[in-house]
Amino acid sequence: MVYFYAPFGLYEKLINSILNFFKDIKKNFTFLFPICLGVFVGVFLFGNILKILFNKYYIPTSFAFIGLILGSIPLVVKQANVKKVTLLHVLCMLVAFSFSLYLVAIEGNISNSYLILSGAITSAGIVIPGVSKTVLLMLLGIYEIYISAIASLNLSILIPIGIGFAIGGIIFLVLINFLFKIAKSYTYFAIIGFVLGSVFVIYPGFSFNTQGIISIFLLIVPFIAGIKLSNLNR
């Protein structure tokens, strides 16, 4: 999730390094390689753990992700830096909110073309601050398949997703860089709408029992962590 880079001043540098990679290959490679290595190690290290958590503790784990997502919103709002919210800001947010719900409707058969499309859409979770790659995979209905493929190194699943991820990543990098230049605040409000929509979609339901109490606790802790993270930018 790219919003973790933002508090440390890495987000804009990350975009510039990728888009201008061939202008200074040595410098950009030196900057990007540790980040890519960390992402690669993290994905394979925690793939099995997340698979177990979602299989055995789906509701509490979902609430933990909701807490992380909600905790990222103050950071996105702060980055929007809007003194007065206009009707167009609200409209951008509502359109993005609706699109996040639409992703559920396009869920289809798990073919190579669908995996490529999913990879392309999921790349937004790396490029756009505040948007979770994990949540996008959930919305598209392939998160468990993706985690299982990582755990077993199933290349028939990982390669199509990787192809889509590479294609989508380039497209989203160029697009988000362009939008930030011409309409930064509106772009951030669209991100907020998408984030709120993703919470609505992955909400697993709630019951007033032991699991429900644990779920609320697991929502609050990541939410507070997200708030603390956003405060690092002050």
Side-chain angles (χ1 to χ4, degrees), residues 220-231:
I220 293 173
V221 172
F223 175 77
I224 294 174
I227 299 295
K228 295 293 184 181
L229 186 64
S230 68
N231 289 337

Side-chain angles (χ1 to χ4, degrees), residues 29-182:
F29 178 82
T30 302
F31 172 72
L32 293 172
F33 180 74
I35 295 176
C36 293
L37 181 62
V39 171
F40 180 82
V41 172
V43 167
F44 281 92
L45 184 64
F46 293 105
N48 280 315
I49 296 175
L50 289 174
K51 180 181 177 181
I52 293 171
L53 288 175
F54 272 103
N55 285 339
K56 293 188 175 182
Y57 312 103
Y58 178 75
I59 292 179
T61 304
S62 296
F63 269 89
F65 271 99
I66 290 174
L68 282 171
I69 295 165
L70 292 177
S72 73
I73 292 178
L75 174 59
V76 181
V77 171
K78 183 164 59 178
Q79 289 177 327
N81 194 26
V82 175
K83 294 182 180 180
K84 182 180 180 180
V85 177
T86 67
L87 180 61
L88 185 56
H89 285 106
V90 176
L91 181 61
C92 289
M93 187 169 63
L94 290 175
V95 169
F97 178 86
S98 301
F99 179 70
S100 67
L101 301 181
Y102 170 72
L103 286 180
V104 180
I106 68 173
E107 181 179 335
N109 296 324
I110 309 302
S111 61
N112 284 336
S113 58
Y114 184 73
L115 290 173
I116 292 173
L117 174 63
S118 299
I121 295 174
T122 302
S123 66
I126 295 295
V127 175
I128 303 175
V131 178
S132 167
K133 177 172 69 71
T134 299
V135 170
L136 288 172
L137 288 166
M138 288 179 177
L139 293 177
L140 293 164
I142 65 166
Y143 182 73
E144 292 185 8
I145 294 172
Y146 171 73
I147 289 298
S148 296
I150 289 175
S152 61
L153 285 177
N154 187 343
L155 297 181
S156 64
I157 298 293
L158 295 177
I159 289 177
I161 292 178
I163 292 172
F165 189 84
I167 296 172
I170 295 172
I171 294 173
F172 278 117
L173 275 172
V174 174
L175 179 62
I176 202 70
N177 191 45
F178 173 73
L179 290 175
F180 276 169
K181 287 180 179 178
I182 66 169

